[in-house]
DNA sequence: ATTTGGATTAACCAAATGGTTAACGACATT
DNA sequence: AATGTCGTTAACCATTTGGTTAATCCAAAT
């Protein structure tokens, strides 16, 4: 670890790694301290407890998880471009943080109420997205479909290949992780293609 | 717990629950013992260690996870029916074991080598599935597509809504789990519809 | 030079946790 | 009746783990 960085930042960085790899229950304060090259007591000096530290990490992760969709929505481009931007954002974020998807999925299951609190704090508004899809349907860009179903499908196609990476790359890519990375990257196009075929009404 | 059941079975049952809910690291031998109404020492009497017990649970879960695809393949019906059967199998299994998807996804990430061993023991053959898809392409039933991509898409659409259940049902279904269950069930049709639109070539 | 306040450390603590052991009881075999 | 086997229990053990404390270091302010 670089000495010039403030301890607090270094801690957050390695804590992120450890919590994401092992989850709350599996993570060890000692390991975080070791990786940050500090005494274990320093952890409690900066962040009072494991839970507090975890909360910070989780909050960070959760914000990344829901990429800046609003930006894509508000810059009123063509519908295709909006979705392309959202898909791109997801793929990009997840390729940077390979454990992110799994982390969120699991720690949410561990303590769902905690999620509810965090959602409000991060001020994320899925309803806005639903309304946008609804409007596209009314304006004849999309076929009639439950907007929530549409969203779940896009999310599924974007996130699952990351969440299941360890499994899928072994089963179907002979554990060649480079080639799997290429595949993940190529999904920008293939997911877009899929939803266009299924949900977009061809404009004349 | 019913008294008539053999201890070993009861243990496996509750161990499944606990491990699935909390994962290997989060699960406690004491809790498993309590839920099975036995002494903690009995756990070690029947299954020597936490790891051994976990292995049994994992093996069970993993077998469920890859539903009897071969059955669907070998009973040479129309292509549509084969995929419908596979999708149905996944949805059914996952509705019965809500934590299954998350459990597999995570414990695989925790110890990927362990997975490789188990795959061989359970004798699952993804290559067979790939070959089947390939043949459908050659015979003009499916558009030209990487069979692996096709598989990942189907898996994503089937599994992710379960893995992300805790998150999605809160964000998009106002935490109404009944209504979310209905949605999950309806995916049998909507996933089929999606892959038909995208990948199936209309027969004359 | 002394004080002050934050950063840092080693040593320590209590609780939790996976695992063991020795003794016991019940039931079948001899 | 004696022996042996299997299931069961309470007590115990060693280690791990999150967290604390008292002392120390160090740099800036006084």
């Amino acid at each position: 670890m670089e000495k010039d960085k403030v301890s607090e930042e270094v801690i957050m960085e390695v804590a992120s790694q450890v919590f994401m790899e092992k989850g709350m229950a599996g993570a060890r304060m000692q390991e975080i301290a070791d990786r940050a090259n500090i005494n274990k007591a320093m952890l409690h000096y900066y962040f009072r407890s494991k839970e507090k530290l975890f909360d910070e990490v989780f909050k960070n992760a959760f914000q990344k998880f829901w990429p800046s969709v609003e930006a894509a929505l508000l810059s009123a481009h063509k519908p295709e471009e909006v979705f392309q931007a959202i898909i791109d954002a997801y793929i990009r974020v997840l390729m940077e943080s390979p454990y992110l998807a799994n982390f969120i999925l699991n720690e949410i299951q561990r303590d769902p109420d905690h999620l509810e609190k965090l959602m409000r704090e991060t001020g994320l508004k899925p309803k806005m997205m639903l309304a946008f899809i609804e409007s596209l349907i009314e304006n004849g860009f999309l076929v009639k479909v439950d907007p929530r179903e549409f969203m779940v499908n896009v999310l599924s196609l974007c996130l699952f290949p990351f969440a299941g990476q360890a499994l899928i790359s072994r089963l179907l890519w002979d554990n060649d992780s480079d080639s799997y990375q290429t595949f993940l990257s190529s999904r920008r196009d293939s997911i877009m293609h899929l939803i266009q075929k299924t949900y977009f009404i061809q404009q004349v």
Side-chain angles (χ1 to χ4, degrees), chain A residues 85-142:
Chain A
I86 292 171
I87 293 168
D88 281 358
Y90 265 115
I91 306 280
R92 182 172 33 76
V93 168
L94 289 168
M95 288 193 78
E96 279 167 18
S97 318
Y99 297 106
L100 184 58
N102 270 296
F103 178 66
I104 302 283
L105 253 34
N106 258 271
E107 299 305 332
I108 260 164
Q109 188 180 26
R110 196 180 59 94
D111 184 359
D113 289 328
H114 196 255
L115 158 71
E116 201 124 37
K117 246 184 54 199
L118 265 168
M119 271 175 43
R120 300 214 174 97
E121 287 179 30
T122 49
L124 126 183
K125 320 181 198 87
K127 294 288 161 65
M128 184 185 261
M129 188 67 201
L130 293 180
F132 175 71
I133 298 171
E134 203 95 63
S135 79
L136 291 184
I137 296 173
E138 281 165 20
N139 294 335
F141 286 105
L142 295 182

Side-chain angles (χ1 to χ4, degrees), chain A residues 14 44 47 52 60 65 67 75-76 92 95 101 103 124 152-153 158 161-162 169 171-172 183-184 204:
Chain A
V14 301
H44 291 90
F47 306 80
K52 293 258 173 61
N60 263 350
F65 186 70
S75 63
R92 182 172 33 76
M95 288 193 78
F103 178 66
L124 126 183
V152 169
N153 286 344
C158 286
F162 289 92
S169 79
L171 287 178
L172 302 180
F183 164 69
L184 287 175
V204 226

Side-chain angles (χ1 to χ4, degrees), chain A residues 68-77 82 125 128 132:
Chain A
S68 42
V69 171
E70 300 178 28
L73 285 187
L74 296 177
S75 63
H77 288 301
V82 174
K125 320 181 198 87
M128 184 185 261
F132 175 71

Side-chain angles (χ1 to χ4, degrees), chain A residues 52-87:
Chain A
K52 293 258 173 61
L53 177 55
F54 176 82
D55 278 6
E56 291 301 312
V57 170
F58 189 76
K59 212 178 291 187
N60 263 350
F62 196 67
Q63 277 165 345
K64 278 196 207 164
F65 186 70
W66 201 267
S68 42
V69 171
E70 300 178 28
L73 285 187
L74 296 177
S75 63
H77 288 301
K78 283 188 292 182
E80 289 94 345
E81 288 174 359
V82 174
F83 290 116
Q84 188 67 66
I86 292 171
I87 293 168

